[in-house]
Amino acid sequence: MVVGFREFRVADKVAESDIITSFYLEPTDGAPVWEVKPGQYLTLRMPGDGDPVLKTYSVSCDPSETRHHRITVKREAGLNGAPDGVGSCWLHDQVEVGQIIDIAAPRGAFVLDESSNRPVLLLSGGVGLTPMVSMLHRLRDSGRDVYFLHACENGRVHALRDEVLACVNDRIRARFVYRTPDEADRAAQSFDAQGVIDKAFLQNNLPVDDYEVYLCGPTPFMVAMYQLLQDVGVPKGRIAYEFFGKAKSLDQLLVKPDIRKAASRAAPTIQALTFLTDPDAWAAADEGAKHTGTPSQGEVTFRKSNTSAEWDGFAGSLLELAENAGLNPEFSCRSGICNSCKCTLVSGTVEYFEEPLIQPEEGQVLICCSRPKGAVVLDI
Ligand SMILES: Cc1cc2nc3c(=O)[nH]c(=O)nc-3n(C[C@H](O)[C@H](O)[C@H](O)COP(=O)(O)OP(=O)(O)OC[C@H]3O[C@@H](n4cnc5c(N)ncnc54)[C@H](O)[C@@H]3O)c2cc1C
Ligand code: FES
């Protein structure tokens, strides 16, 4: 068995839409499944071109489920001649019931705050609904008001619709917005509004309340929603979000004109988005925003590059700080799993906000999941 991983058998494989499939995963050791916080993800080890690749998928089932974990995966077909997505297409095309997969324990800080009594807005685009469905299950018996708002192209790509509707009651509402509904959607009245989620939609549909918002979807969708939520009066500090793609902080993206432009085209791009990796991307470092940790001060020196940067708390990790400084360090998972970002810590001390799956050797550090404690020198 691979260190840090546990074997699971695919107990069921269920098509949820034309492009999204669920995999039910049971541990082969007969022991109970892991404890999962609503919103967390699993890391799957899969065959790649050469070495195995690691891919992360949010747990999409009721987190209290004891017999299995479930992940729900969009097939990332290559567009315009690009190769198909390695992990998602392997799962869709090669994996059948009975397959054994190595999986690492649940991780991630994008989790439902269960200590709160506030009403909750679960806002998702495309396959970004997976952590929301897990949260929705947990919220069913919480006594909190819940508004589940989901945007996608149409019923052909809409996953887990019936499961979400089964959770609806006098406190839990669900609304679906389709950009391009087809005849079948119209006949079945399977959506609540056509087009994109805009200010008018929120003002007309979302009851005024003191929401905590959980947001996940393609990056342009998230940028657009992050702005929109603030336009209708939701404070940043109440918006937690997770990227399924490579990104940093929504506040940083909001000030980049190219991304703002992309956001204005959010809906058409929803299905075409490339999902890479960047878990745990909360609204970091803004005053009043939810935070993965307290920033410390200190200069970070990238010795090989002859560059330095002040740790000001706006970067989520040392990796992000290096990228913001114009460097391109190696990375893959961005969550302490793959060790691709390992480098030598020449001097100083770092702390991990996400514990590495496998601890690096003495004098080495994973920069994707750590931040400096005071001044540090890295051999980058
Ligand atoms: C915390 C977290 C949770 C996640 N949860 C989910 C989830 O619940 N469900 C889900 O479906 N996904 C989820 N993801 C995304 C998932 O981890 C993968 O990133 C996703 O499945 C794509 O991986 P892949 O190996 O299939 O694609 P990759 O091989 O990584 O490729 C990504 C895309 O790039 C395109 N591409 C590849 N090579 C090229 C090239 N040379 N030129 C142009 N395009 C190219 C591919 O066609 C594909 O569309 C999550 C990600 C994170 C970080
Ligand atoms: S990028 Fe994978 S451990 Fe840092």
Side-chain angles (χ1 to χ4, degrees):
M1 186 170 322
V2 184
V3 177
F5 287 80
R6 185 178 171 196
E7 286 184 347
F8 281 72
R9 192 179 71 87
V10 176
D12 206 357
K13 178 179 176 184
V14 177
E16 305 286 5
S17 79
D18 284 2
I19 53 168
I20 297 179
T21 298
S22 284
F23 298 84
Y24 290 73
L25 307 161
E26 286 178 358
T28 56
D29 56 17
V33 293
W34 282 303
E35 201 175 301
V36 183
K37 291 184 187 146
Q40 284 191 311
Y41 60 87
L42 302 174
T43 305
L44 279 67
R45 195 166 179 275
M46 318 168 167
D49 270 349
D51 290 338
V53 293
L54 299 170
K55 297 285 169 175
T56 49
Y57 293 99
S58 305
V59 173
S60 63
C61 61
D62 186 339
S64 310
E65 177 59 63
T66 53
R67 292 159 302 171
H68 57 250
H69 298 304
R70 182 184 71 183
I71 56 169
T72 302
V73 179
K74 179 184 167 206
R75 188 178 187 284
E76 296 290 348
L79 300 172
N80 307 321
D84 283 347
V86 172
S88 63
C89 293
W90 179 74
L91 283 164
H92 273 254
D93 304 344
Q94 309 288 327
V95 169
E96 299 299 341
V97 170
Q99 171 97 30
I100 306 294
I101 305 179
D102 288 329
I103 302 181
R107 298 167 82 87
F110 178 71
V111 293
L112 181 70
D113 179 358
E114 297 187 61
S115 66
S116 168
N117 288 322
R118 287 206 182 84
V120 180
L121 169 60
L122 302 175
L123 176 53
S124 59
V127 78
L129 91 172
T130 52
M132 307 301 172
V133 174
S134 181
M135 292 183 191
L136 180 67
H137 280 291
R138 178 55 57 82
L139 284 161
R140 235 176 350 182
D141 305 319
S142 69
R144 294 166 76 178
D145 286 337
V146 181
Y147 199 93
F148 188 101
L149 178 53
H150 179 62
C152 64
E153 204 59 16
N154 54 42
R156 292 196 307 277
V157 295
H158 186 176
L160 306 174
R161 181 175 178 278
D162 292 344
E163 185 169 323
V164 167
L165 287 176
C167 295
V168 167
N169 59 30
D170 54 345
R171 287 182 304 95
I172 298 184
R173 276 157 289 185
R175 297 284 182 275
F176 307 128
V177 180
Y178 289 179
R179 193 180 72 91
T180 53
D182 60 17
E183 281 315 310
D185 296 327
R186 287 184 215 287
Q189 299 185 337
S190 52
F191 60 104
D192 298 285
Q194 177 172 353
V196 296
I197 299 172
D198 56 14
K199 195 168 178 181
F201 178 89
L202 284 188
Q203 284 169 333
N204 293 334
N205 287 275
L206 189 65
V208 175
D209 218 329
D210 189 18
Y211 293 101
E212 271 166 16
V213 183
Y214 294 85
L215 171 61
C216 185
T219 300
F221 170 85
M222 289 181 35
V223 173
M225 293 303 111
Y226 190 59
Q227 179 69 67
L228 200 54
L229 288 165
Q230 291 176 62
D231 289 350
V232 298
V234 180
K236 280 182 196 181
R238 293 278 170 73
I239 307 171
Y241 56 86
E242 175 156 79
F243 286 100
F244 279 5
K246 182 182 172 186
K248 292 161 190 165
S249 137
L250 278 178
D251 287 290
Q252 287 172 358
L253 293 180
L254 265 182
V255 298
K256 287 189 183 166
D258 52 330
I259 299 284
R260 285 184 71 95
K261 217 163 130 203
S264 68
R265 305 191 302 264
T269 63
I270 282 176
Q271 292 309 320
L273 254 138
T274 298
F275 293 132
L276 297 173
T277 50
D278 186 10
D280 310 343
W282 288 66
D286 298 289
E287 207 181 339
K290 281 193 172 170
H291 216 283
T292 48
T294 315
S296 60
Q297 300 296 312
E299 185 171 67
V300 178
T301 305
F302 303 104
R303 193 172 69 170
K304 269 190 195 146
S305 316
N306 205 13
T307 303
S308 62
E310 190 64 28
W311 178 260
D312 54 10
F314 276 87
S317 63
L318 279 164
L319 173 60
E320 278 189 25
L321 189 74
E323 289 171 335
N324 292 347
L327 309 181
N328 292 303
E330 288 289 318
F331 72 88
S332 176
C333 71
R334 300 181 80 97
S335 58
I337 296 166
C338 70
N339 280 23
S340 323
C341 65
K342 189 165 72 175
C343 74
T344 302
L345 179 64
V346 180
S347 66
T349 314
V350 305
E351 63 182 359
Y352 287 105
F353 54 83
E354 176 88 60
E355 271 308 307
L357 187 61
I358 301 162
Q359 283 292 336
E361 310 81 58
E362 187 71 29
Q364 302 286 299
V365 61
L366 303 188
I367 56 171
C368 71
C369 52
S370 60
R371 56 186 161 233
K373 289 174 87 176
V376 302
V377 179
L378 297 169
D379 199 24
I380 295 176

